[in-house]
């Protein structure tokens, strides 16, 4: 028997209708009702709903959706605050969110599917498939505020891209001006009226931020992987993901661009402000290393398919994807990845390359390698990531648990909701 949270905010179209037990939460104001579940304290989990509601009341977020599953059953689901605060439209469980870098997990899985079909090796140089990447260069800062351009010491491999050790940033580094002048900077692609493959080909001629295999550098790696999926499979990235993951997993509300009929379910993007969250402009503009605004997901060119940061999804959809990974690549009687491939994905790949204390990085995810060094509740072997709009997720195999937290806050300021979300989830486990 699962913990149940019932209210009017249950999404009538939720994919979890196929599960034996549902957990549903309040959309705004009403306290959820709880029933005890093995392994989860209803009383202690109620603290999480109170915390999220306090963030809404304090004006630190406009709204959010959380979904937690254990053994594939939803043990907690809550929708708090507003989908559109100005319109007084409450947040709902079926709200659609811009998940940005949570897209990376699906693209990484796509690459490993191709590996399992014998169409690539992780050790393959990227230049084997994209000729512009056969030889690359690196910018090395000099003592005069400029930089020298030197040849890369070795070819960039597919594994380098999966682990973000290729030396490829989002344009920042010693050669930032060259990247900006080339019109390639920041993670956002939805406003571009050209395929990502065209951008990636031009990118190859620019100096990278570090030598391959020497440092963890977060950047365009997974966008390049998305282009590799297209090149090797002969399909557009959206077609491949739809055929191989999104449709068979039942992720009915996951796409690169929003169908007009679903516009009323898209969560509004807000920005942190001392006076309370403020609504971002529509579609917005470039600020710093990214795009700040509602974005071009509804009325944009719909041409660029960003494997690194382009998808829209719901908490229910993304939970389905995570449950497949938690189960070692299988869900609903269908196998998506071999169990040994998933085992490789969630193994630390960084070796001696420095990263965060107590954490490592696998083939597409951050990993927890040492609970004490990480200094926060969790489990060794846990893996996850997040997105630019302040969403987050993780999978905890030891607790048989998946967690999805969806909100739309950019920039997010110094809000501490991610840390407190984690603390309050783990304190409720029995």
């Amino acid at each position: 028997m699962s913990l149940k949270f019932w209210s009017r905010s249950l999404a009538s179209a939720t994919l979890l209708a196929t599960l034996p037990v549902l957990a549903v939460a309040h959309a705004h104001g009403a306290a959820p009702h709880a029933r005890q579940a093995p392994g989860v304290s209803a009383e202690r989990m109620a603290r999480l709903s109170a915390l999220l509601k306090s963030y809404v009341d304090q004006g630190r977020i406009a709204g959010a959706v959380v979904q937690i599953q254990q053994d594939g059953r939803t043990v907690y689901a809550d929708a708090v605050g507003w989908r559109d605060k100005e319109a007084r439209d409450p947040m709902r469980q079926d709200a659609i969110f811009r998940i940005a870098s949570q897209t990376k997990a699906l693209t990484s899985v796509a690459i490993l599917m191709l590996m399992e079909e014998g169409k690539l090796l992780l050790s393959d140089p990227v230049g084997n498939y994209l000729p512009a990447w056969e030889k690359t260069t690196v910018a090395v800062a000099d003592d005069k505020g400029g930089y020298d351009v030197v040849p890369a010491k070795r070819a960039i491999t597919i594994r380098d891209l999966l682990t973000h050790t290729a030396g490829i940033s989002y344009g920042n580094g010693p050669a930032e001006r060259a990247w900006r002048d080339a019109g390639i900077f920041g993670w956002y692609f939805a406003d571009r009226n050209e395929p990502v493959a065209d951008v990636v080909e031009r990118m190859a001629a620019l100096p990278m931020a570090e030598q391959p295999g020497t440092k963890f550098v977060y950047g365009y790696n997974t966008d390049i992987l998305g282009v590799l999926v297209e090149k090797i499979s002969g399909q557009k990235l959206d077609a491949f993901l739809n055929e191989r993951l999104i449709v068979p997993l039942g992720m009915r509300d996951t796409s690169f661009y929003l169908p007009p009929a679903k516009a009323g379910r898209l969560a509004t993007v807000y920005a942190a402000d001392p006076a309370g969250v403020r609504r971002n402009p529509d579609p917005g503009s470039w600020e710093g290393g990214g795009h700040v605004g509602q974005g071009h997901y509804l009325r944009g060119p719909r041409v660029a398919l960003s494997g690194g940061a382009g998808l829209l999804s719901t908490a229910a959809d993304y939970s389905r994807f995570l449950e497949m990974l938690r189960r070692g690549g299988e869900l609903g009687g269908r196998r998506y990845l071999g169990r040994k491939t998933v085992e490789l994905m969630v193994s630390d790949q960084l070796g001696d390359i420095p990263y965060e204390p107590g954490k490592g990085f696998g083939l597409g995810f951050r990993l927890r390698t040492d609970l004490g060094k990480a200094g926060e509740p969790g489990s060794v072997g846990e893996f996850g990531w997040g997105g630019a709009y302040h969403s987050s997720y993780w999978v905890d195999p030891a607790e048989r648990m998946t967690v999805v937290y969806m909100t739309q806050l950019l920039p997010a300021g110094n809000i501490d909701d991610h840390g407190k979300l984690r603390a309050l989830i783990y304190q409720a486990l029995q």
Side-chain angles (χ1 to χ4, degrees):
M1 184 71 71
S2 289
L3 174 64
K4 296 183 179 179
F5 285 84
W6 296 101
S7 87
R8 65 181 183 277
S9 67
L10 174 61
S12 61
T14 180
L15 300 176
L16 296 174
T18 59
L19 296 176
V21 186
L22 294 178
V24 186
H26 65 299
H28 185 74
H33 301 287
R35 189 156 53 170
Q36 198 73 17
V40 178
S41 165
E43 179 183 1
R44 295 176 74 88
M45 191 65 86
R47 298 173 182 176
L48 178 55
S49 290
L51 175 77
L52 293 174
K53 187 175 183 299
S54 74
Y55 280 112
V56 174
D57 293 343
Q58 294 164 18
R60 303 184 73 186
I61 61 173
V65 174
V66 180
Q67 185 157 316
I68 304 170
Q69 293 188 341
Q70 275 191 321
D71 293 318
R73 293 181 173 87
T74 303
V75 296
Y76 177 93
D78 202 357
V80 301
W82 308 101
R83 183 198 69 83
D84 186 323
K85 186 176 181 181
E86 289 72 26
R88 311 306 285 174
D89 185 3
M91 185 65 78
R92 305 185 312 180
Q93 283 280 310
D94 68 348
I96 297 172
F97 296 83
R98 305 153 189 81
I99 64 171
S101 287
Q102 289 185 214
T103 307
K104 290 177 168 65
L106 280 84
T107 304
S108 299
V109 167
I111 285 288
L112 291 166
M113 285 177 159
L114 293 172
M115 180 198 75
E116 289 190 336
E117 295 171 3
K119 294 179 179 178
L120 61 84
L121 291 173
L122 300 188
S123 58
D124 285 344
V126 176
N128 286 7
Y129 307 96
L130 305 177
W133 287 84
E134 286 182 4
K135 294 183 179 180
T136 58
T137 59
V138 177
V140 180
D142 60 29
D143 56 6
K144 299 177 182 178
Y147 63 91
D148 297 316
V149 177
V150 301
K153 294 180 180 179
R154 65 164 176 81
I156 293 170
T157 67
I158 294 174
R159 183 171 177 267
D160 291 332
L161 297 178
L162 284 164
T163 57
H164 296 274
T165 58
I168 303 168
S169 70
Y170 276 125
N172 52 299
E176 179 173 324
R177 177 47 55 195
W179 284 75
R180 287 185 179 273
D181 289 346
I184 305 174
F185 196 82
W187 55 269
Y188 186 79
F189 277 87
D191 61 339
R192 289 183 180 271
N193 195 18
E194 64 176 336
V196 174
D198 292 356
V199 182
V200 165
E201 184 167 6
R202 296 199 306 274
M203 191 186 297
L206 296 168
M208 307 305 155
E210 296 288 348
Q211 288 286 348
T214 60
K215 290 186 179 180
F216 181 92
V217 181
Y218 194 58
Y220 290 113
N221 302 274
T222 319
D223 288 298
I224 302 169
L225 290 174
V227 175
L228 282 172
V229 171
E230 294 186 335
K231 180 74 171 181
I232 296 169
S233 71
Q235 294 179 282
K236 291 294 186 183
L237 184 59
D238 57 351
F240 185 95
L241 293 180
N242 282 334
E243 178 183 317
R244 305 292 294 276
L245 284 170
I246 292 172
V247 172
L249 280 169
M251 300 170 70
R252 299 174 187 169
D253 295 313
T254 300
S255 61
F256 281 99
Y257 294 96
L258 191 68
K262 297 182 180 181
R265 292 168 55 197
L266 183 63
T268 305
V269 183
Y270 291 87
D273 189 281
V277 292
R278 52 182 168 80
R279 189 187 191 97
N280 273 327
D282 187 4
S285 60
W286 280 85
E287 296 181 22
H291 185 276
V292 176
Q294 304 304 320
H296 298 77
Y297 303 99
L298 180 61
R299 294 181 293 276
R302 297 176 177 254
V303 174
L305 306 175
S306 168
L311 284 174
L312 309 168
S313 193
T314 63
D317 274 13
Y318 210 80
S319 292
R320 293 280 290 176
F321 171 68
L322 295 183
E323 179 62 13
M324 178 272 291
L325 292 174
R326 188 194 72 81
R327 290 172 57 91
E330 178 275 332
L331 187 66
R334 176 167 178 159
R335 180 154 292 281
Y336 297 85
L337 284 177
R339 63 180 181 85
K340 296 301 289 185
T341 300
V342 176
E343 184 179 310
L344 179 65
M345 286 190 80
V346 299
S347 299
D348 186 20
Q349 305 283 323
L350 294 184
D352 295 331
I353 295 175
Y355 195 62
E356 301 172 24
K359 299 176 184 178
F361 206 87
L363 301 178
F365 316 103
R366 179 195 290 119
L367 315 172
R368 187 175 304 274
T369 58
D370 187 296
L371 195 60
K373 290 180 180 178
E376 59 186 6
S379 300
V380 171
E382 165 200 323
F383 58 95
W385 199 242
Y389 295 96
H390 201 58
S391 59
S392 181
Y393 73 89
W394 71 89
V395 178
D396 187 333
E399 295 293 342
R400 313 175 316 283
M401 179 174 70
T402 66
V403 178
V404 178
Y405 176 57
M406 297 291 204
T407 190
Q408 304 279 253
L409 189 64
L410 179 68
N414 63 353
I415 190 170
D416 58 0
D417 53 340
H418 284 187
K420 288 188 175 179
L421 176 82
R422 173 176 289 276
L424 292 188
I425 290 171
Y426 280 101
Q427 61 86 34
L429 301 183
Q430 300 190 115

